[in-house]
Amino acid sequence: MPLCEDCVAGGHGEHPNVPLSQALAQHRSALQERLGTVQNRLPQISDALTFVKEILQQLTNQRASIEEDIQSSFEDLHKQLDVRKSVLLMELEVTYGLKQKVLQAQVESLLRGQGEMTASCSQTEEALGEEACAANLQAERDLGERLGELASYGLPCQPEENDQLDLLMETDGLRKSIHNLGTIVTTSAVASQSEAMGAGLEQCVVGHPASVTIVTRDKAGGACKSGNAILSAEVFTPDGSIVDGEIVDHKNGTYEFVYIVPKEGDFSLALRLYDQHIKGSPFKLTVTRVSETEVERRGKSPGQKKKGSKRTSSALGTPRRKTQNPIEDDLIFRIGTKGRNKGEFTNLQGVAASSTGRILIADSNNQCVQIFSNEGEFKSRFGVRGRSPGQLQRPTGVAVHPSGDIIIADYDNKWVSIFSCEGKFKAKLGSGRLMGPKGVSVDQNGHVIVVDNKACTVFIFQPTGKLITKFGSRGNGDKQFAGPHFAAVNNNNEIIVTDFHNHSVKVFTPEGELVLKFGSNGEGNGQFNAPTGVAVDVNGNIIVADWGNSRIQVFDGSGSFLSYINTSADPLYGPQGLALTSDGHVVVADSGNHCFKVYRYLQ
């Protein structure tokens, strides 16, 4: 842009006396400098543009990938919800049927008694309405004897069941715990058999907490083992007002009522189960004032504590961790409760058995493997939570290699880890290939078979990690899977896979060719509601855990139904992994009951 004469010589510039030519040169130099500065920035901007475009492309790709995952996950979730719906409806019908049967039998018994009594009373009234005579004397004697019998005739006048039938729906963490979603809540507790005990039942001290233990029992007087019963407790003061208290549910059939009475006097303590008074209720309660010294002395009484402890222990009947079976069925024992300590489990999944007499449990949510003897004695555990090699994030499958190494499918880490028999990490395989390994097994050649639940594919690896082959894809075709779970190998080195959402079991050659398929969705013999664990005995019979139907079925090598394993004494709830122990018993992960169970099995 040209400069005016006034700008150059008229005092408008920084140097008013600079000649025009010199000013123009200076201006051009400054302009050239600025041009160079801007041009030097262009490569930087070009690089930035390329980088941002790459990020945008990655963002778009990631969006597409996540969208695909969302679609796949929700499709899978819908299927799981449908399965769970079927289980809950079945559980509802079974629970209703059992309770309805008891109450209906009681109704029929009462109606029979009522009918007999009404008929006898009518006959007696007719006889009494007639004139007394010798001819009717024997008939009247017979009526008298019959009335005497009916007067002492025992009828079930107290309810032998209750009407509780509720549904709990816990939706937190639905995706990971969908198989545990919803529980039909009930107990067999009846008020006429339930009882209370404890020092707070008869007396307490003003202003000091008192407690009463309530033990719920069923119609036969047996102690109930679960909580959630509808229980109410009230302390009535002399003027008719009610003292507040707190009921603590111990979730084992016993409850604690803790209360504080603000003044002395004679009170009434009412304990009701399903709005009916339990044995002895209402109780007479005496509230007194005593000195702090007396309170302390009484609180430290060793005799009182001993007595209370003994009664509570007897009432609770707390089972040992290894529970023997009191009913004649196939159960030998069960091990475990919900927890994080040794012998406790949180969502146990896979099961394996070694030739050396060991049972291995993949304790999924505790990120470890626990090892027991065939007799149920705890031996060891190993596993550290994490996402580095040698750590476990969600172990779901476990197998024992002929070498003694322990092979673990780690679902969330998306690889298979190999540990020594002492639990020392040795190697991992399948990283970068696996999407969600669920079950593992070992074939007769020592190859590691991995069932990828998410990829719907079976992988076969050498122990070194080299991939030998793979087969399967998502779908409902003969060579396809929908959420496959576990695998076993028969004497022909054929691979048996449980196809969870297709409700079937499929048998393949080591090359992935279909040999046999059996099972359909249902509750009949040979049908499945989502099969999970699988094992093969020495005769080639196939043992399958039927997750949705909560049972174990046995088939011959051709897929024909043979029998059930009797699990009626202590019912299964969502069985997962299954294996045969070295002494010929069946061990199953009873995931919903947070334990594993060992059953007799005649091969």
Side-chain angles (χ1 to χ4, degrees), residues 197-201 203-204 208-213 256-259:
M197 58 192 66
L201 199 60
Q203 59 184 6
C204 71
H208 289 267
S211 67
V212 175
T213 298
E256 201 81 15
F257 175 53
V258 182
Y259 64 94

Side-chain angles (χ1 to χ4, degrees), residues 40 64 422 426 457 485 562:
N40 289 337
E422 293 84 15
K426 297 179 70 173
T457 303
H485 268 50
L562 294 177

Side-chain angles (χ1 to χ4, degrees), residues 7 87 181 205 337 348 376 405 414 423 458 516 576 595 603:
C7 289
V87 172
L181 178 62
V205 178
T337 56
L348 66 169
D405 288 342
K414 302 180 182 180
V458 173
L516 173 68
Q576 286 280 348
C595 67
Q603 301 189 40

Side-chain angles (χ1 to χ4, degrees), residues 423-451:
K424 294 181 180 180
F425 176 70
K426 297 179 70 173
K428 67 182 177 74
L429 55 86
S431 180
R433 295 182 183 272
L434 302 174
M435 297 176 63
K438 171 77 174 183
V440 287
S441 187
V442 180
D443 70 9
Q444 296 176 0
N445 299 318
H447 298 151
V448 178
I449 300 166
V450 183
V451 180

Side-chain angles (χ1 to χ4, degrees), residues 292-305:
E292 292 295 326
T293 303
E294 177 67 11
V295 172
E296 182 178 353
R297 185 189 69 77
R298 288 174 57 184
K300 291 183 178 180
S301 169
Q304 185 183 32
K305 282 195 173 184

Side-chain angles (χ1 to χ4, degrees), residues 206-521:
V206 173
H208 289 267
S211 67
V212 175
T213 298
I214 300 99
V215 180
T216 55
R217 298 187 183 277
D218 60 22
K219 65 175 184 178
C224 297
K225 300 299 184 182
S226 60
N228 297 304
I230 300 176
L231 187 71
S232 64
E234 296 172 332
V235 177
F236 294 88
T237 62
D239 60 3
S241 61
I242 299 175
V243 174
D244 291 331
E246 180 184 6
I247 297 176
V248 180
D249 185 351
H250 294 306
K251 303 297 184 183
N252 61 359
T254 69
Y255 306 78
E256 201 81 15
F257 175 53
V258 182
Y259 64 94
I260 298 176
V261 180
K263 56 183 177 181
E264 58 187 328
D266 294 327
F267 297 74
S268 295
L269 170 58
L271 298 173
R272 295 184 179 90
L273 181 67
Y274 302 109
D275 292 326
Q276 299 176 33
H277 285 284
I278 68 170
K279 280 185 178 180
S281 176
F283 302 91
K284 293 183 179 179
L285 177 65
T286 301
V287 182
T288 59
R289 289 187 181 275
V290 294
S291 65
E292 292 295 326
T293 303
E294 177 67 11
V295 172
E296 182 178 353
R297 185 189 69 77
R298 288 174 57 184
K300 291 183 178 180
S301 169
Q304 185 183 32
K305 282 195 173 184
K306 184 177 180 180
K307 181 179 179 182
S309 174
K310 183 177 179 181
R311 291 175 68 186
T312 303
S313 176
S314 173
L316 298 183
T318 304
R320 294 173 295 165
R321 187 153 293 161
K322 177 179 177 180
T323 308
Q324 299 295 336
N325 180 28
I327 300 178
E328 287 299 325
D329 73 346
D330 294 327
L331 178 64
I332 301 174
F333 61 81
R334 60 177 282 172
I335 299 291
T337 56
K338 186 175 183 179
R340 298 191 175 277
N341 298 316
K342 297 176 181 179
E344 297 177 343
F345 307 100
T346 307
N347 191 25
L348 66 169
Q349 295 278 310
V351 176
S354 73
S355 59
T356 57
R358 294 290 184 262
I359 296 172
L360 295 85
I361 306 293
D363 192 1
S364 180
N365 287 13
N366 285 333
Q367 291 85 29
C368 70
V369 169
Q370 300 199 46
I371 303 176
F372 300 81
S373 70
N374 280 354
E375 295 72 35
E377 179 185 356
F378 176 84
K379 291 299 183 181
S380 64
R381 62 184 280 180
F382 66 90
V384 177
R385 180 178 182 175
R387 295 190 177 276
S388 299
Q391 296 179 322
L392 302 175
Q393 192 62 26
R394 188 181 168 193
T396 53
V398 60
V400 180
H401 195 272
S403 66
D405 288 342
I406 300 171
I407 302 167
I408 302 172
D410 194 332
Y411 194 92
D412 283 354
N413 277 332
K414 302 180 182 180
W415 62 55
V416 171
S417 296
I418 300 178
F419 293 82
S420 70
C421 58
E422 293 84 15
K424 294 181 180 180
F425 176 70
K426 297 179 70 173
K428 67 182 177 74
L429 55 86
S431 180
R433 295 182 183 272
L434 302 174
M435 297 176 63
K438 171 77 174 183
V440 287
S441 187
V442 180
D443 70 9
Q444 296 176 0
N445 299 318
H447 298 151
V448 178
I449 300 166
V450 183
V451 180
D452 194 322
N453 172 267
K454 195 171 183 180
C456 294
T457 303
V458 173
F459 292 83
I460 303 178
F461 294 93
Q462 292 182 354
T464 58
K466 181 181 179 181
L467 178 65
I468 298 174
T469 188
K470 65 177 182 177
F471 58 89
S473 60
R474 181 180 295 276
N476 55 14
D478 287 345
K479 295 184 180 181
Q480 293 181 309
F481 304 104
H485 268 50
F486 294 99
V489 178
N490 64 17
N491 294 330
N492 298 324
N493 206 34
E494 295 167 337
I495 302 168
I496 305 168
V497 183
T498 52
D499 196 352
F500 190 83
H501 292 301
N502 284 330
H503 311 288
S504 61
V505 175
K506 297 175 180 178
V507 183
F508 298 88
T509 67
E511 294 74 34
E513 295 300 318
L514 182 71
V515 176
L516 173 68
K517 171 187 174 183
F518 62 92
S520 59
N521 190 16

Side-chain angles (χ1 to χ4, degrees), residues 46 58 60 101 113 115 143 190 196 242 252-253 256 294 317 322 344 432 437 515 520 527 534 541 552 570 578 582 602:
S46 179
Q58 291 174 0
T60 303
K101 183 178 180 180
L143 286 173
V190 294
I242 299 175
N252 61 359
E256 201 81 15
E294 177 67 11
K322 177 179 177 180
E344 297 177 343
V515 176
S520 59
Q527 292 185 306
V534 61
N541 295 322
I552 300 173
D570 189 4
L578 182 148
S582 59
L602 300 177

